[in-house]
Structures are given as structure tokens and as C-alpha cells.
Amino acid sequence: YSPFPSPWRTPRSRIGDREVAFVKIALTGRGCDAAPGTIARSDGGLVWVASADEWVGVVRMMVAGQPANAAEALKPGERLET
């Protein structure tokens, strides 16, 4: 829906006490066997989050309602709360 607001809101989760929102993601087509919500890095340095069956790339995100750089906000090995 971008640039318009989505009627479903922005997908959100938490890492510790921080609320994170995923404004734009990209399918990678790369299968994964990590637990859903696990943070990793791709070969190109992009941040990936494990879903049930593939890695999802984080293109744009927010932390505590403010735009954030995914590579700085999400560390490999962290896991999003589900």
C-alpha cells in the first residue's frame, strides 16, 4: 500500500523492551531452518529474519516509532518475540 497507510497496520514485534515495526520487507526465496523470528545477515550484509519456511529481508523498519537502520537495530542471533 505504500505510500498509503495499510488497513492492516504495520507488522510489529518486540526485542526485549523495544517495539520494532517492519515497514517494507522482501522475500528472499532462500529456505531456512532457523526458528521463526531469528535475526541473521545475508552475504551482502542485509538483515534477514527467519519465517516458517524462508528468510525475509528487512528493507525498512522503525524502532519505537522512529525510522531505524536494520543493520544497527537488529543483531544476528537475536530473536523477535512472537
Side-chain angles (χ1 to χ4, degrees), residues 25-44:
I25 61 165
L27 298 175
T28 66
R30 293 240 175 141
C32 72
D33 57 3
T38 301
I39 308 298
R41 294 271 193 272
S42 71
D43 296 338

Side-chain angles (χ1 to χ4, degrees), residues 14-81:
R14 297 190 75 76
I15 293 181
D17 62 346
R18 298 178 296 157
E19 180 183 73
V20 295
F22 299 95
V23 178
K24 186 171 184 176
I25 61 165
L27 298 175
T28 66
R30 293 240 175 141
C32 72
D33 57 3
T38 301
I39 308 298
R41 294 271 193 272
S42 71
D43 296 338
L46 298 175
V47 175
W48 286 1
V49 178
S51 70
D53 59 355
E54 78 174 78
W55 291 103
V56 178
V58 179
V59 178
R60 287 192 321 220
M61 68 173 296
M62 296 189 320
V63 175
Q66 299 297 315
N69 179 314
E72 293 174 5
L74 303 174
K75 306 298 180 215
E78 288 183 318
R79 189 161 176 219
L80 300 171
E81 294 177 17

